[in-house]
Amino acid sequence: MNPYVQYMYSYPHKTAYRPLTGFDLKDHVHGLKGPGHGLYLHIPFCQAKCGYCNLFSVTGQGSKAVDRYLDALERQCGQYAELLDSQKTEFSELVIGGGTPLYLTEDQMERMFAMLKEHFHFNEEREFVIETAPNQTTAEKLKRLKQAGATRVSMGIQSFLDKELSALGRQHSAKSAREALNLLKSYQFPCVNLDFIYGIPGQTEGSLLRTLQEALDYEPDEIFLYPLYIKHGAGLEWAGVVPDWKGAMGQYERASFFLKENGFRQDSMRRFVRTDAKRAFSECGFGSSLSLGCGGRSYLGRLHFCRPYAVTQKECLAGIEEYVNCKDYREISHGILLSEEEIKRRFVIRHLLIRPGLPLEQYQMHFGSDAIEDFPLLKKWAEEGYVKRERHLNQQKSRGIDKNNGEPYLALTEKGLAFSDYLGPQLISPQIQRAMKGWEDEHGRIYAAVSGESEKL
Ligand code: SF4
């Protein structure tokens, strides 16, 4: 049984979103009232497209194109800020992702930070998370990040072996990764995360462990281990690479055992956190979140929205062009309005796949029903050894709880963690599955019709 069906980092997937009419941010901005929300900023530029990437990102763009994007971002910030003022919105988390945010020059970074500071209010304790890549990590840029108060810097290393980096179509070498990491560590950010990939063509359990062993020398606070997925539109799909899921499973088992033996706890199939890490696990994406730029999504209660999903260079460039020419960023034209049943599914998916798991009492209090009765699959998974009941203290809700016993959770077992990408997709509703399939059918045909596009990806 192939356990690698789909990574459920959010629900529903963007491919289930459709055009919306008559939606305006002003009618939904109350979802961002007061403190405790997330702000996401998407920078869609990269040096080159990695072979496995199906994210919204473009390559070959010069400084002028970035400046135009920042001009648009500034207009969007201004329009959003006007609406947020009435709600006294205070963000507790800022995430800058991409793309490669440090693709920007130092001056462009300064401009981006200045516009965020001018237009939005942040909690003093706010988290500030940013992604980077070895080739774009310079002392000057890290200095700017430090001055801007970044709390978590995440670097995509993927492997310390040049052969594997080249199989992935990454632009950096093992040597440049080491140099960038030494530099990054010297700035002493509160949290450093490193991303790695397993299931790479030619990779073995031994070579993965060598990479992880070397990673530990840099004392990262967190490690994300991603299985290699090859999806529609990614360069490796065009190259005809077929992932070896059996090999990947063996690598996952060895790697998760190795990290746990070396002082990490496992929070999800992908996330490993140092057991002595002071930072609590951030439940990014569970609350309301507003997105800036053209590739991220906003979550305002039942309403989820973004710009249309795009993968190829051509589609992403068209999306950016539409974004920079947009006059009114408050108009919401693409997304989904979730039913109560879909909200329940989202709650179950987002909690169950991340430790400590699904808080059963919280579910009952929130929805007035029992999670296991609502989702009989959960009972079946308990019988099959994928999930089990555990008790944990819930730090967000301690009133009335017996602290010695904690609250009941349904949590993934070791076997459940390994099969997260097999279990999660089974919780997708039939309606959402149909919508996703509709998108895949249509875009699958488009990709087949433009064979040769791989060179442009
Ligand atoms: S995976 Fe590669 S191409 Fe995709 S966003 Fe990250 S750096 Fe850019």
Side-chain angles (χ1 to χ4, degrees):
M1 176 176 64
N2 180 358
Y4 304 109
V5 179
Q6 190 183 331
Y7 178 21
M8 300 286 290
Y9 58 89
S10 186
Y11 179 79
H13 194 272
K14 272 184 189 178
T15 51
Y17 293 11
R18 292 293 180 269
L20 294 173
T21 44
F23 284 82
D24 196 295
L25 184 58
K26 76 172 168 6
D27 303 321
H28 299 270
V29 74
H30 55 268
L32 292 162
K33 201 174 180 59
H37 311 288
L39 185 66
Y40 177 78
L41 194 165
H42 185 82
I43 299 292
F45 306 105
C46 288
Q47 181 188 6
K49 194 84 172 177
C50 302
Y52 52 90
C53 180
N54 72 338
L55 301 175
F56 190 117
S57 68
V58 294
T59 61
Q61 305 302 297
S63 225
K64 272 199 181 146
V66 178
D67 283 339
R68 275 184 84 214
Y69 187 78
L70 292 179
D71 292 344
L73 198 58
E74 191 145 29
R75 290 197 299 278
Q76 185 181 27
C77 287
Q79 291 179 8
Y80 279 13
E82 260 179 43
L83 292 178
L84 296 179
D85 263 1
S86 64
Q87 304 300 315
K88 303 208 176 327
T89 305
E90 191 180 81
F91 293 106
S92 53
E93 185 176 65
L94 167 65
V95 179
I96 305 183
T100 309
L102 298 200
Y103 186 83
L104 271 55
T105 63
E106 290 95 34
D107 287 350
Q108 287 166 337
M109 285 171 68
E110 290 284 352
R111 184 180 172 200
M112 173 175 73
F113 296 144
M115 70 174 83
L116 290 171
K117 202 168 163 194
E118 182 194 336
H119 292 291
F120 304 110
H121 299 289
F122 294 94
N123 179 303
E124 275 184 15
E125 305 279 293
R126 59 100 184 89
E127 290 284 354
F128 172 7
V129 178
I130 190 159
E131 296 167 359
T132 185
N135 285 1
Q136 282 68 40
T137 304
T138 64
E140 267 311 305
K141 290 182 184 180
L142 290 174
K143 202 166 121 194
R144 300 298 209 281
L145 286 189
K146 194 74 183 176
Q147 284 162 352
T151 56
R152 180 180 189 267
V153 182
S154 179
M155 190 183 281
I157 302 289
Q158 320 315 357
S159 168
F160 280 114
L161 294 171
D162 283 334
K163 209 171 52 171
E164 293 174 3
L165 289 170
S166 132
L168 290 172
R170 291 286 295 190
Q171 293 302 301
H172 70 265
S173 64
K175 182 170 173 281
S176 57
R178 290 178 188 116
E179 285 165 4
L181 267 171
N182 281 322
L183 203 54
L184 175 59
K185 284 298 291 182
S186 71
Y187 280 82
Q188 300 185 336
F189 289 97
C191 177
V192 167
N193 171 73
L194 305 181
D195 288 345
F196 294 97
I197 293 181
Y198 61 95
I200 303 169
Q203 193 178 32
T204 63
E205 290 176 21
S207 72
L208 174 61
L209 289 193
R210 277 205 301 285
T211 280
L212 293 179
Q213 181 70 61
E214 184 165 352
L216 297 189
D217 295 343
Y218 297 95
E219 300 181 339
D221 303 280
E222 298 177 13
I223 286 181
F224 264 76
L225 265 188
Y226 291 92
L228 178 65
Y229 270 93
I230 299 172
K231 291 194 173 176
H232 279 329
L236 290 180
E237 180 194 39
W238 293 103
V241 173
V242 181
D244 165 19
W245 63 263
K246 281 190 184 150
M249 272 203 86
Q251 290 168 12
Y252 165 83
E253 277 167 22
R254 289 285 300 277
S256 62
F257 181 79
F258 172 81
L259 290 175
K260 283 184 278 187
E261 284 281 289
N262 282 281
F264 285 77
R265 68 163 200 267
Q266 189 171 2
D267 275 348
S268 74
M269 178 176 148
R270 290 165 173 77
R271 184 174 184 165
F272 295 83
V273 181
R274 273 223 329 247
T275 42
D276 58 358
K278 289 192 189 71
R279 300 169 72 255
F281 179 53
S282 136
E283 294 184 325
C284 166
F286 291 151
S288 294
S289 174
L290 188 65
S291 180
L292 298 165
C294 64
R297 337 184 202 188
S298 298
Y299 306 103
L300 299 185
R302 292 171 55 212
L303 181 66
H304 294 187
F305 58 95
C306 66
R307 294 188 162 259
Y309 189 53
V311 180
T312 62
Q313 170 90 350
K314 195 171 151 195
E315 288 169 338
C316 293
L317 278 176
I320 292 173
E321 197 53 30
E322 201 190 309
Y323 173 74
V324 300
N325 289 320
C326 179
K327 297 273 175 284
D328 186 354
Y329 294 98
R330 293 158 294 200
E331 191 189 327
I332 299 168
S333 57
H334 195 80
I336 191 166
L337 194 61
L338 299 182
S339 65
E340 174 79 356
E341 200 239 312
E342 298 294 4
I343 291 282
K344 284 182 178 180
R345 283 183 189 275
R346 177 171 165 82
F347 188 94
V348 170
I349 290 168
R350 292 304 310 266
H351 284 86
L352 186 66
L353 300 181
I354 303 171
R355 285 189 191 275
L358 173 63
L360 295 168
E361 278 179 3
Q362 234 180 293
Y363 182 98
Q364 175 86 43
M365 267 166 36
H366 199 80
F367 298 110
S369 57
D370 180 84
I372 297 174
E373 278 172 24
D374 286 349
F375 296 92
L377 251 186
L378 300 178
K379 189 161 179 257
K380 181 169 165 272
W381 289 349
E383 287 160 6
E384 292 170 353
Y386 290 116
V387 296
K388 66 171 192 250
R389 279 177 185 267
E390 289 178 357
R391 297 191 85 86
H392 294 280
L393 293 179
N394 181 341
Q395 290 163 350
Q396 275 134 32
K397 187 179 78 70
S398 57
R399 207 158 50 109
I401 302 295
D402 175 352
K403 292 217 172 203
N404 291 324
N405 286 327
E407 268 191 81
Y409 281 73
L410 198 66
L412 291 174
T413 58
E414 291 290 312
K415 177 177 161 189
L417 279 168
F419 282 83
S420 295
D421 287 11
Y422 162 77
L423 301 174
Q426 294 179 48
L427 289 165
I428 301 174
S429 72
Q431 294 89 322
I432 296 294
Q433 274 175 20
R434 274 196 296 278
M436 288 168 66
K437 184 165 183 320
W439 189 94
E440 287 282 341
D441 287 349
E442 187 185 336
H443 289 75
R445 282 198 296 277
I446 288 171
Y447 293 136
V450 288
S451 58
E453 173 127 4
S454 59
E455 282 141 42
K456 287 188 257 148
L457 288 171

